[in-house]
Amino acid sequence: MEKYSEPHIIDLPCIRDPRGNLTFVQNGDSRLPFDIARVYWTYDVPAGEERGSHAHHQGQELIVALSGSFNVELFDGVATRTFTLNRPFQGLYVPPGLWRTLDNFSSGSVCMVLTSVPYDEADYIRDYDEFIALSLGKNKDKE
Ligand code: TYD
């Protein structure tokens, strides 16, 4: 089975300029652990609303707060890690197999997600009990 990195913050290039700053990411960049197959973004998230609440079988993601801030909670079936994203030149790498919940969206925030796979509902684990059962199996394999 493929070995993925743990979740971590990736610093992206930031070209500072009196006219305004610029950040970019492209396939082949050694900072990016996967090739980008799809980009989506969420915006106009009402105060107090949550997004996510699912895991992926294969899809890897880089989550960027293009504007504003929000929290990303990652649960591997045992432990939870919470990351606050609020810098458009940083991305959170999320390997497959983690239950993610995004919340605490500030007003006007924009969450951009780069993913390693095209959209396919079959890659989603949306049922929490199914996720727990799968992660229990994986954690047993590690013992
Ligand atoms: P959902 O997975 O609930 O979004 P989030 O992860 O932000 O909570 O997706 C909402 C809807 O959008 C759902 O019907 C699937 C659809 N969708 C696509 O058609 N293509 C995509 O690339 C994504 C991410 C979602």
Side-chain angles (χ1 to χ4, degrees):
M1 187 172 146
E2 195 171 344
K3 179 89 180 84
Y4 296 102
S5 318
E6 291 297 309
H8 61 281
I9 296 288
I10 294 177
D11 287 316
L12 300 168
C14 180
I15 317 265
R16 296 193 181 275
D17 191 309
R19 299 171 301 160
N21 301 331
L22 183 153
T23 287
F24 61 93
V25 62
Q26 60 188 348
N27 288 338
D29 187 324
S30 59
R31 283 170 276 223
L32 191 65
F34 57 85
D35 275 350
I36 302 161
R38 176 169 50 109
V39 182
Y40 67 91
W41 49 99
T42 50
Y43 47 93
D44 293 344
V45 179
E49 205 51 79
E50 284 187 358
R51 305 275 332 193
S53 298
H54 59 252
H56 289 286
H57 290 289
Q58 300 290 337
Q60 304 170 70
E61 294 188 338
L62 188 77
I63 305 179
V64 182
L66 282 189
S67 181
S69 67
F70 50 86
N71 290 344
V72 185
E73 204 174 272
L74 299 175
F75 179 53
D76 63 5
V78 178
T80 300
R81 288 178 71 183
T82 302
F83 295 85
T84 298
L85 298 185
N86 54 15
R87 297 192 170 116
F89 53 87
Q90 287 185 332
L92 172 63
Y93 171 70
V94 182
L98 298 181
W99 189 266
R100 85 280 323 272
T101 307
L102 287 74
D103 63 9
N104 207 20
F105 287 89
S106 69
S107 169
S109 58
V110 179
C111 168
M112 179 182 72
V113 185
L114 313 180
T115 89
S116 64
V117 293
Y119 175 71
D120 179 3
E121 192 56 36
D123 189 52
Y124 281 76
I125 308 162
R126 294 193 186 270
D127 184 275
Y128 188 72
D129 292 339
E130 183 190 348
F131 168 75
I132 294 295
L134 283 169
S135 61
L136 279 178
K138 272 189 214 150
N139 289 326
K140 213 178 240 170
D141 288 348
K142 282 187 206 156
E143 284 169 11

